[in-house]
Amino acid sequence: QVQLVESGGGLVQAGGSLRLSCAASGRTFSRYAMGWFRQAPGKEREFVARHIWTSGILYTGYTAESVKGRFRISRDNGKNTLYLEMNSLKPEDTAVYYCAAATGVVAGTNSYEYDYWGQGTQVTVSS
């Protein structure tokens, strides 16, 4: 069982930056594939970024095309924390952002591949 708690959301002007954090409980955080998803009002939840174990020795981060070059996902296993650095924010980035964990070192871009979810943190970007 993993519990996830997001923080760092807020109101920011377009072009600004935020860093979201996701604190995970448990001692096996390093064994989980982690992801960030978001859901805007009236829209389906969509993939933002994932951080997975690759090549047996490395983690690799992947981001959706809509945020590529602006968002960066990373993790600190010593702190059991996942991060999402968001730069050059746009009004269309406004959404509730969710952290998710998959019981396996690899997971894709579909929400059903993830087993545990945080409660979400609101990000609002004003124009």
Side-chain angles (χ1 to χ4, degrees), residues 29-47:
F29 175 72
S30 62
R31 300 179 186 177
Y32 289 92
M34 301 296 297
W36 287 100
F37 289 76
R38 66 186 181 185
Q39 188 166 18
K43 295 187 177 181
E44 293 186 353
R45 190 168 298 188
E46 66 171 353
F47 165 76

Side-chain angles (χ1 to χ4, degrees), residues 13-90:
Q13 289 188 334
S17 300
L18 284 173
R19 188 177 78 160
L20 305 183
S21 298
C22 172
S25 65
R27 299 182 179 180
T28 59
F29 175 72
S30 62
R31 300 179 186 177
Y32 289 92
M34 301 296 297
W36 287 100
F37 289 76
R38 66 186 181 185
Q39 188 166 18
K43 295 187 177 181
E44 293 186 353
R45 190 168 298 188
E46 66 171 353
F47 165 76
V48 175
R50 61 188 177 123
H51 202 258
I52 63 173
W53 186 250
T54 59
S55 304
I57 57 173
L58 293 174
Y59 289 101
T60 302
Y62 299 91
T63 53
E65 284 299 318
S66 59
V67 303
K68 195 175 294 291
R70 299 188 297 121
F71 290 13
R72 177 176 176 270
I73 187 172
S74 63
R75 75 165 75 192
D76 185 333
N77 286 338
K79 296 182 178 180
N80 278 15
T81 302
L82 180 75
Y83 301 101
L84 184 68
E85 296 179 42
M86 306 186 296
N87 299 306
S88 302
L89 283 161
K90 304 175 181 180

